Structures are given as C-alpha cells and as structure tokens.
Amino acid sequence: MTSIIKVNTIQDGGGNAIITSDGSGNVTTQNVAANTPSFKVNLASTQTVSSGSATLAAFATELFDTDSAFTNTASNYKFTVPSGKAGKYFLNASLNLRDVSQSQTINFARVSIYKNGSEFANNTFNHSGNYGDQYTINVSTIDNASASDYYQVYGTVTTSDSSDGEFLSNGYRSWFCGYKLI
C-alpha cells in the first residue's frame, strides 16, 4: 500500500511559506537552500608588489555580491559578515604571481586569507633552486564566522634578485570568493 500527500505550500510555524509548488513539479524555496551571503571579486588591473612583502590584494572588481558585504575601496578590499548572517563560511582565494621583469625566478610565494587583520589560512610554495617566473597559488578554508568578522587576501612574492613581483589580473587569474554554508 502506498500513500500520497499532495500539497502546494509548506509553511513554517509562523505561517510563512518556505516551499511552494506550482502544481507542475516546479518547486520554489524561500531561503531554504540559499548559500548567501556570497561574493566573487577580481583584480581590476595587475598589481605591482614589493619583493618579500605581504601585500593586500586590490580586489576592486565585484562580479557579484548578494548582500553588499564586500568593500572594494582602496586599502580596504574585504568581505564583512553582515549582521544576522553569522555561521560557517567557505572562502577561496587565488593569486597568479610573477616576477615583474619575467627574467628572474620566484623563490617564495604565499597567498593568505586574513581574518580581522591576522593571518588565518595560507598556502605557501618555496621554489628555491627551481626555475619559474609565474605561479598560481590557491587557498581555501571554512570558518565559523560571527557578524562583523572580516576577511582579506594578502600575497607575498620573493624573487631571486629582490625585484618587484606582480599579482596578475584579467579576471580568471586572481580572485577572492566565498559563501555561507547551509
């Protein structure tokens, strides 16, 4: 024997519709499976950085920012957890790093996600003795964030002759993104 329950609306205890159906199999949810806030930002242009110095990545181009929680102004470039949106967040950053002159090798490179001004997660490559003038480094983390916590991305490039490095732009080369987990 089988049972069938037919409904077009499921409501919470306050009478708010959380799942609705149009009767043709199309279901709409209300904040049930939304991974928001969410954002993705890129560098607006290639950024020159001093060799060996941890430098804030200038993510000035917003591809999307569901809750207007990313600040893309000079010296700021950060995602701040909005009020009422505390929880677990997935964060990912990628920087394409190279030697400005493209004639020296990168000895050391690091991409770090900072939380509230302190390094929180990083990925480091030590390339001493190896040849290469350009590398892409990614770092991902999950954090239990409180409202007003903020996250920024820093990169470090150390070249064999201490010349400047660069964070490359062009959208697909360097980015910072994140979203609240369900």
Side-chain angles (χ1 to χ4, degrees), residues 17 120 133 147:
F120 180 72
D133 66 4

Side-chain angles (χ1 to χ4, degrees), residues 97 105-111 122-132 135-137 156-160:
L97 312 162
T105 59
I106 294 175
N107 290 341
F108 176 85
R110 170 181 277 160
V111 174
N122 72 62
N123 192 2
T124 301
F125 287 134
N126 187 343
H127 300 286
S128 295
N130 294 321
Y131 296 100
Y135 296 97
T136 299
I137 303 175
T156 305
V157 179
T158 303
T159 60
S160 58

Side-chain angles (χ1 to χ4, degrees), residues 38-43 56-64 69-71 76-80 89-95 111-115 138-141 150-154 171-179:
S38 64
F39 69 96
K40 184 174 183 187
V41 293
N42 291 338
L43 294 175
L56 177 64
F59 290 117
T61 301
E62 291 184 17
L63 300 175
F64 61 89
F70 193 86
T71 304
N76 229 344
Y77 308 112
K78 64 183 178 181
F79 169 73
T80 304
Y89 281 79
F90 172 81
L91 301 164
N92 174 264
S94 179
L95 287 177
V111 174
S112 302
I113 296 175
Y114 278 52
K115 177 181 181 180
N138 297 288
V139 60
S140 297
T141 190
Y150 67 92
Y151 299 88
Q152 297 170 300
V153 175
Y154 282 77
Y172 61 90
R173 294 182 183 231
S174 299
W175 68 83
F176 181 31
C177 63
Y179 56 88

